[in-house]
Amino acid sequence: SGICIVAASTILILQNLDAILSVAEHIGSRTGGQIAAIRLAVSYPAASKSRSGMTIAMFSLIVFSLVMTAAINENFSQAFFGTDANAGWQVRVDVPQTNPIDNFDKTLQASGIDTTQIAGEGSLTMPNFGANRLRATDTDDWSRYPINVMDAGFLDTATLSFTGRADGYDSDAAIVEALRTDPSVAVIDSFAIADSGGFGPPPTLTIDGLTASGTFPAPTISVDTGTGGPKQVKIIGVIDSRISSLVGLFVGPGATSGLFPSVGASPTSYFLKLAPGANTKQVADDVERVLIAHGAQAVDIAQEAKDSQAQQRSFLYILEGFMGLGLIVGIAAVGVIAFRAIVERRQQIGMVRAIGFQRSTVSLAFVFESAVIVILGVLSGAIFGLILARNVIASSFFVDGGSGIAFVVPWSTVLITIALSVVAALVMAWLPARQAATVAPADALRYE
């Protein structure tokens, strides 16, 4: 689609090239005494549309690829690693099942941790760790899927939102209240939606009837409870995909005794919401230090997300780097084309010199000519690259229809790409332009 868009935009520019060049001539005429150079500069692209079109298409395709990749990369990061990704938590403390903590808050106080820095606390427990399995009601096949039990503190403190809700639950608060009181209901991430599209490998579990937005009849699925045999829960909400830290099936505090009564100690992750002004890394380091006997690992959630983001973005940076090499080749091609033009247009250069054009005017004409072509190609590629990126973000392929996602333009990348492309192309055109200025008027007679 990108090649087709670039081809179509180039044809559109060529079909309106006369009007575009007249606008450029009008703007350039206001610069003072360079009107002659500007008129000479716009005459050749209008007369040789095929060559102009190839040059425009070359720059447009390269810049299109760079800008679109950068925009997708930036919006991907915003969608999965934005301010909503952590559900309002700053620190996560992972404690293995081999050495559980009886009372997390009291343990911290007894260890000398300043708990006034902690504004909220909650936990997620994986009660059937190692055997997390779910099964849709219309199949006999079990699928491995993370199952988490949220305690009351997690439900009270976390910033939870749901893009899809079961019939009868008209708000996020209604779903949270149901999780708090009813052990037979659950919420799930958006990856379980059948035919949800999106990035990454196919999901291990899909549940028919779930939707990323709006309402749906609550489907019932079976949960492997370990030694207690399978039990059923109703899915009443689909977690907002922007909360990327919550992956799996989530049930309320009553599920520990209702669904997993025979399961012993389980891996638990404690979540801390810090008071304003608290140093997140310092708190994480202090908590890990005092809980080292329990094998605990405390992490700064935001920093962990940034590290994960950096790893995922590195591959796209490699792609952008290779596209940047293509841009360098395109800029070099401008110089080659300019040198070629001087050889082919010696008669024209000699004629304009013979009628009184100064050397500086001839040089500026060639520079302006390259500038017009390069600017048209760069702007075309940048504009249509952003349009395609925005359409991808708004489609169902990206984050379940892009619910609640505002398209972010990577202005720094766009502006730097445009500026460097234009400046470098003008530098490459300047050397042959100086050579063109040295052509003597008598050279025009050699072609007669």
Side-chain angles (χ1 to χ4, degrees), residues 170-299:
D170 57 355
S171 66
D172 295 341
I175 293 179
V176 171
E177 182 60 28
L179 290 170
R180 187 180 286 109
T181 58
D182 188 351
S184 66
V185 299
V187 295
I188 201 166
D189 59 43
S190 59
F191 294 106
I193 300 174
D195 300 324
S196 62
F199 294 94
T204 58
L205 171 73
T206 57
I207 302 173
D208 293 328
L210 292 181
T211 60
S213 59
T215 59
F216 53 84
T220 301
I221 64 171
S222 298
V223 178
D224 182 3
T225 62
T227 58
K231 293 185 180 180
Q232 293 185 332
V233 296
K234 291 190 303 180
I235 305 297
I236 62 172
V238 176
I239 300 172
D240 192 332
S241 56
R242 291 176 296 177
I243 309 177
S244 58
S245 61
L246 299 184
V247 177
L249 179 81
F250 295 84
V251 293
T256 303
S257 57
L259 294 178
F260 307 100
S262 58
V263 176
S266 304
T268 301
S269 294
Y270 296 93
F271 293 81
L272 304 180
K273 180 177 182 179
L274 304 184
N279 188 314
T280 304
K281 185 180 184 306
Q282 186 63 49
V283 171
D285 291 343
D286 290 343
V287 171
E288 181 172 320
R289 174 176 50 81
V290 299
L291 298 179
I292 192 66
H294 295 271
Q297 289 186 327
V299 295

Side-chain angles (χ1 to χ4, degrees), residues 75 77-87 159-163 172 190 238-246 398-400 402-406:
N75 283 273
S77 300
Q78 290 293 326
F80 291 101
F81 303 102
T83 56
D84 299 323
N86 304 332
T159 305
L160 300 175
S161 60
F162 308 92
T163 54
D172 295 341
S190 59
V238 176
I239 300 172
D240 192 332
S241 56
R242 291 176 296 177
I243 309 177
S244 58
S245 61
L246 299 184
F398 189 94
V399 194
D400 306 314
S403 174
I405 297 175

